[in-house]
Amino acid sequence: DWPISFEDIEPYYVRAEDKMGVSGRNGIAFHPKNNNYKVMALGAKRMGYRDFDTNNVAINVEPRDGRNACDSIGFCMQGCRSGAKWSTFNVDLPQAEATGRCEIRAECMVLKIEHDSDGKVNGVLYADRDGNHHVQKARIVCVAGNAIETPRLLLNSESDHYSDGLANSSGMLGRNYMRHMFGFVYAEFDHPVSMNRGIVCGGIIRDEAKHDDSRGFAGGYYTGTIGLGLPFYAAFLNPGAWGREYAGWLESYERIAGMQILGEDMALETNAVSLHPNEKDQYGLPIPSLHLDDHPNEISMKNYAYRKTAALLQASGAHRVFESPPLPASHNMGTCRMSDDPQTGVVNKFGQSHDIANLFISDGSQFTTGAAANPTLTIVALAIRQAEYIAEHMRTNEI
């Protein structure tokens, strides 16, 4: 279980959505309906779905916070050329640097988090772009390498004091890795759809995101549009495919509508990130090794979701449907999960290490469950909440 409730984090969701400029929230308009959405909406109505719209996304509908409005020019997966999309890279980091209180050291890699004789972290050893090593002293260390690199760094930071890696007294570090059940379904229509026009995910259906035992699996999934440019469509359609049938789907690109499914993945302790016993990186550190087994629940959900999504596209008038092979991973989560009990997790409800009071995890590896939604909003909300907690404890010298 999460050690926090929705009521704990809800105010931070509101602040995160306002900060990011999420469409359809806090008085911000929804994005317009593109052709791909209209295909989805028609099928959704005919399938009896009720909860669908053009989605809540951090892409400006109108100019806001120094960012342009979306020009609906498509090809979002190749970068937002309108400058409308929110991201840490193009919004928060420039704003942080502008304060004069933030220094970004590009092309550097932290090799180890160091600690004093009492076990408190006191800095990081890192390599710069030329491979030279430096030590940056720190009062607090916040790690945000996400669910692969964060546990790898903590495991690589082992010492005589922490023989199993930092923050790992529970043995849970690196365990309970989660991704999302993720796949694509495409359909060909008689007339042009031009799925790439508009935003990449210009529509969402929420009806299947609830828990319903009668479907044969726990948790739920979202169905949404996916508007890919031709290069990504060709890469994702059927990786490794060749021949006449594959070429035919590429030739039909203008008349293709794309749908994606995104569902909850159950945490398994054995799905875990560890250090590779032999392979090392350019700095001589063990690379991460991921063990991953499909959960039976995910397989049941995937089969149901593919079947329902294909039926939706057929209901909207498609004359042929292609179910792409599901991707092996999406949206890495878990591995440093929150818990009330220090024996069952790595950090507390503020992302603070149970073992080391001045070490924080600030990314999606804190998650105890994956839910069905993209994780970014929750990561940002937790980061705002954590920042307030850190600021207050620094002010009172508790850290």
Side-chain angles (χ1 to χ4, degrees):
D1 291 337
W2 286 78
I4 55 176
S5 67
F6 176 73
E7 288 70 28
D8 292 327
I9 196 173
E10 193 269 342
Y12 298 96
Y13 276 134
V14 174
R15 289 169 58 180
E17 288 174 327
D18 182 63
K19 166 189 173 60
M20 298 159 70
V22 174
S23 59
R25 304 289 287 171
N26 302 304
I28 300 173
F30 280 100
H31 279 271
K33 301 172 181 178
N34 63 8
N35 283 352
N36 215 23
Y37 172 82
K38 292 173 183 176
V39 167
M40 183 200 81
L42 177 60
K45 290 176 184 176
R46 290 176 174 174
M47 293 284 288
Y49 291 138
R50 297 177 179 273
D51 188 3
F52 55 92
D53 52 46
T54 58
N55 206 4
N56 308 115
V57 293
I59 301 172
N60 278 353
V61 179
E62 298 176 348
R64 188 179 191 275
D65 196 26
R67 301 186 343 254
N68 186 29
C70 175
D71 294 316
S72 295
I73 55 177
F75 304 104
C76 300
M77 295 284 281
Q78 290 149 286
C80 180
R81 300 176 188 182
S82 300
K85 179 179 180 291
W86 173 90
S87 77
T88 306
F89 176 75
N90 72 345
V91 178
D92 294 82
L93 294 184
Q95 289 177 355
E97 284 188 294
T99 66
R101 298 182 180 184
C102 173
E103 179 186 352
I104 297 171
R105 298 178 188 172
E107 298 180 58
C108 298
M109 177 173 167
V110 174
L111 309 178
K112 185 175 184 178
I113 301 172
E114 300 190 331
H115 63 80
D116 60 22
S117 58
D118 294 326
K120 289 182 62 178
V121 296
N122 59 5
V124 297
L125 171 69
Y126 73 93
D128 64 21
R129 68 182 68 194
D130 298 317
N132 300 314
H133 289 194
H134 307 271
V135 174
Q136 174 60 57
K137 292 296 183 181
R139 179 175 169 185
I140 292 173
V141 173
C142 298
V143 185
N146 217 356
I148 305 293
E149 288 295 329
T150 288
R152 180 203 180 194
L153 174 60
L154 297 177
L155 290 167
N156 272 326
S157 297
E158 57 85 23
S159 66
D160 290 341
H161 198 102
Y162 298 110
S163 58
D164 295 323
L166 295 185
N168 195 25
S169 64
S170 65
M172 288 292 110
L173 178 62
R175 296 186 177 276
N176 304 293
Y177 169 85
M178 297 172 292
R179 70 255 165 100
H180 274 126
M181 183 276 293
F182 193 44
F184 299 111
V185 181
Y186 301 99
E188 183 181 4
F189 291 82
D190 292 326
H191 301 288
V193 176
S194 301
M195 66 172 170
N196 64 288
R197 306 300 290 181
I199 59 175
V200 65
C201 187
I204 196 81
I205 301 170
R206 304 180 184 88
D207 296 73
E208 300 280 8
K210 62 184 182 299
H211 173 70
D212 179 357
D213 279 329
S214 67
R215 296 176 299 179
F217 54 86
Y221 68 93
Y222 289 99
T223 311
T225 64
I226 185 75
L228 299 176
L230 185 56
F232 277 88
Y233 169 67
F236 290 175
L237 177 66
N238 191 5
W242 195 255
R244 185 181 299 276
E245 182 180 3
Y246 173 71
W249 279 96
L250 298 187
E251 290 169 352
S252 300
Y253 173 69
E254 280 294 311
R255 301 191 306 278
I256 300 297
M259 297 286 289
Q260 62 175 323
I261 51 177
L262 188 72
E264 183 167 1
D265 178 32
M266 298 294 164
L268 282 173
E269 187 176 319
T270 52
N271 283 347
V273 175
S274 60
L275 299 180
H276 198 285
N278 307 115
E279 297 293 332
K280 300 184 186 299
D281 65 13
Q282 67 268 39
Y283 303 109
L285 295 174
I287 65 171
S289 177
L290 173 63
H291 177 86
L292 179 61
D293 294 314
D294 288 332
H295 194 291
N297 190 77
E298 180 188 6
I299 295 172
S300 296
M301 182 189 297
K302 176 189 69 178
N303 292 337
Y304 177 93
Y306 267 80
R307 186 171 68 252
K308 294 284 281 190
T309 304
L312 181 148
L313 288 165
Q314 290 165 343
S316 61
H319 57 76
R320 63 171 178 161
V321 174
F322 184 83
E323 299 179 11
S324 286
L327 299 180
S330 175
H331 305 145
N332 302 315
M333 299 169 286
T335 71
C336 297
R337 69 176 178 182
M338 287 185 174
S339 67
D340 276 328
D341 182 356
Q343 297 305 308
T344 60
V346 176
V347 298
N348 67 13
K349 62 184 179 181
F350 291 101
Q352 182 181 27
S353 164
H354 286 303
D355 300 343
I356 307 168
N358 64 335
L359 174 64
F360 289 80
I361 307 300
S362 310
D363 56 37
S365 59
Q366 301 175 76
F367 286 27
T368 69
T369 61
N374 286 24
T376 300
L377 180 64
T378 299
I379 292 172
V380 175
L382 289 175
I384 297 171
R385 183 171 179 268
Q386 183 186 89
E388 288 187 350
Y389 177 85
I390 291 173
E392 177 59 22
H393 282 68
M394 291 182 73
R395 186 186 66 81
T396 58
N397 287 316
E398 294 176 69
I399 301 178

